[in-house]
Amino acid sequence: MPPAPAGADGVSAAGLEFAGDAAVSSVFAFASASGTVPGPAIASTLIDSPLTDVLAWLAIGAFLAAVVLQWNGAVDEARQLAAVAWVVFGIFWLAMFPYYYYEMQSPLQTILTVVALPLCTYVAYLLYSGRQSLLLLSKAVALMGVIYLPVETIPVARTWLIETTAAQTHYGMELLGHSPGINEGANGYQSRFDFDPDETVTGRTTYIILACTGIGSMAIFGGLIASVKAPLKRKVPAFVMAIGVIWFLNLLRNVFIGLASPWGWFQQDWLVSFMTTYMGAEANRVSFLVAHNYIAQSLSVVALIGITYLVVKLVPEILAPLEDVLYVLTGNEYDLFEALDVEEHRPANAPSALDQ
């Protein structure tokens, strides 16, 4: 992958570059000026533009306004505004498609950006049609945004988080006998692992971006826990546990990708042939793509399920928005509170499946 543009650090899952290569941005600029803008250039231009940030803030702002309306008893107005917010949220994710498809070449993230709009539109339809319980899920998304967007948009917070994660990842590499040092990455932060391209297998290295910090997953669980009514003596330990586990697993992930890419852990001939022939990958990028897009992302899904289980044990109230997520995905009602024998923790505004 060519060096990620400066604006991409808030949305992609890893940065990758040729060690010492700085010519790609000039290629993008020439392509745009000549009127021939390839897919990757479109993706870079999109990420650099304020479009995605504007869409994200509009969606989160509308979600928060819907929460305020619900607090003031205007439930119908809250449902209608939340419905609009979900549509904008879906458009935001669809706008991310070129980036994940062309630059990240991530099958999982690309598919998610495509299905996000129809799913979000369906949630909007359900809200508009009267499914009031979805206001709790909308509140959770709003609080997720409150946690994530300030970090993504406030330079001081973003810089601290990225560079701290880079330093911790480098320490993890040192524990395994690698000490490449850190210098400035293509995103402008001191987050690039300075492997010598003449000594590594692929001549590539990685650099830490915002998504490599785990803040996205932290925001998901923080939003879910904060959105439900439960005693702080249960919510605080659940939050601390979730953040701690995410931080540790994310650190392992960064070390794994950061070493697999330069040292070519997955540069086997048959795999390189398959990836270059059928997936359009560059030969010396194969180890990064396999480590990041396939192994790490698949394990991340498993980890999220495991963390959800642990959080539910402490704060069963989050089952309410999860029931609605399952309904949106499957069209079937599920009573998770009854299944787990925690009916006493059902929020008052989340009736059982039989009452929907």
Side-chain angles (χ1 to χ4, degrees):
M1 182 175 98
D9 58 304
V11 291
S12 66
L16 175 69
E17 62 181 359
F18 279 114
D21 184 3
V24 177
S25 58
S26 298
V27 174
F28 283 170
F30 173 78
S32 299
S34 65
T36 305
V37 184
I42 294 174
S44 296
T45 301
L46 178 63
I47 297 302
D48 281 335
S49 76
L51 173 63
T52 51
D53 279 350
V54 169
L55 287 172
W57 277 113
L58 282 175
I60 298 305
F63 280 129
L64 289 172
V67 171
V68 173
L69 286 173
Q70 185 182 19
W71 280 345
N72 289 305
V75 177
D76 290 340
E77 291 81 357
R79 285 192 298 101
Q80 294 167 9
L81 183 55
V84 174
W86 277 102
V87 173
V88 176
F89 197 52
I91 295 173
F92 159 76
W93 283 111
L94 183 62
M96 299 304 303
F97 170 82
Y99 180 75
Y100 287 120
Y101 181 78
Y102 289 112
E103 291 203 19
M104 290 305 298
Q105 296 181 0
S106 168
L108 176 61
Q109 290 170 308
T110 299
I111 292 172
L112 290 176
T113 60
V114 172
V115 302
L117 181 57
L119 284 176
C120 288
T121 302
Y122 182 50
V123 174
Y125 166 76
L126 292 173
L127 271 166
Y128 190 80
S129 300
R131 192 177 177 97
Q132 182 179 334
S133 62
L134 280 167
L135 284 174
L136 182 57
L137 179 60
S138 302
K139 178 183 178 182
V141 174
L143 295 176
M144 292 174 197
V146 168
I147 296 171
Y148 180 83
L149 285 181
V151 177
E152 196 268 335
T153 56
I154 298 175
V156 173
R158 186 170 65 248
T159 300
W160 177 84
L161 193 56
I162 290 173
E163 295 187 350
T164 298
T165 302
Q168 293 172 347
T169 302
H170 189 272
Y171 178 72
M173 291 180 177
E174 289 183 320
L175 294 178
L176 298 178
H178 300 273
S179 185
I182 299 176
N183 61 13
E184 184 175 311
N187 56 2
Y189 304 104
Q190 293 295 317
S191 64
R192 176 183 177 275
F193 304 114
D194 194 20
F195 285 100
D196 187 338
D198 295 327
E199 295 181 357
T200 58
V201 174
T202 64
R204 287 183 177 263
T205 187
T206 55
Y207 58 92
I208 298 297
I209 56 178
L210 187 61
C212 299
T213 65
I215 186 62
S217 297
M218 294 177 187
I220 289 174
F221 285 100
L224 278 173
I225 294 169
S227 67
V228 298
K229 292 182 179 180
L232 285 178
K233 66 181 181 181
R234 288 195 285 113
K235 293 175 73 170
V236 171
F239 179 78
V240 172
M241 181 275 298
I243 298 304
V245 173
I246 291 170
W247 171 82
F248 179 71
L249 294 179
N250 187 68
L251 182 61
L252 294 180
R253 166 190 174 277
N254 287 340
V255 172
F256 168 63
I257 297 172
L259 293 177
S261 178
W263 295 112
W265 289 357
F266 303 101
Q267 292 297 124
Q268 289 78 16
D269 290 342
W270 69 269
L271 190 53
V272 172
S273 176
F274 176 82
M275 294 288 289
T276 55
T277 303
Y278 299 104
M279 306 299 291
E282 299 174 40
N284 55 5
R285 248 191 112 203
V286 169
S287 283
F288 168 77
L289 292 173
V290 172
H292 175 266
N293 289 358
Y294 296 94
I295 297 176
Q297 287 187 357
S298 298
L299 291 177
S300 293
V301 174
V302 176
L304 288 175
I305 294 173
I307 296 170
T308 300
Y309 173 79
L310 295 176
V311 172
V312 165
K313 298 293 287 185
L314 294 173
V315 187
E317 288 84 352
I318 71 167
L319 291 173
L322 295 182
E323 283 181 343
D324 274 320
V325 170
L326 289 175
Y327 178 78
V328 171
L329 294 176
T330 67
N332 297 317
E333 300 283 7
Y334 294 89
D335 195 330
L336 299 179
F337 290 91
E338 181 178 356
L340 297 178
D341 194 24
V342 290
E343 191 69 34
E344 68 274 16
H345 296 290
R346 179 183 297 278
N349 61 344
S352 68
L354 297 178
D355 297 330
Q356 290 288 355

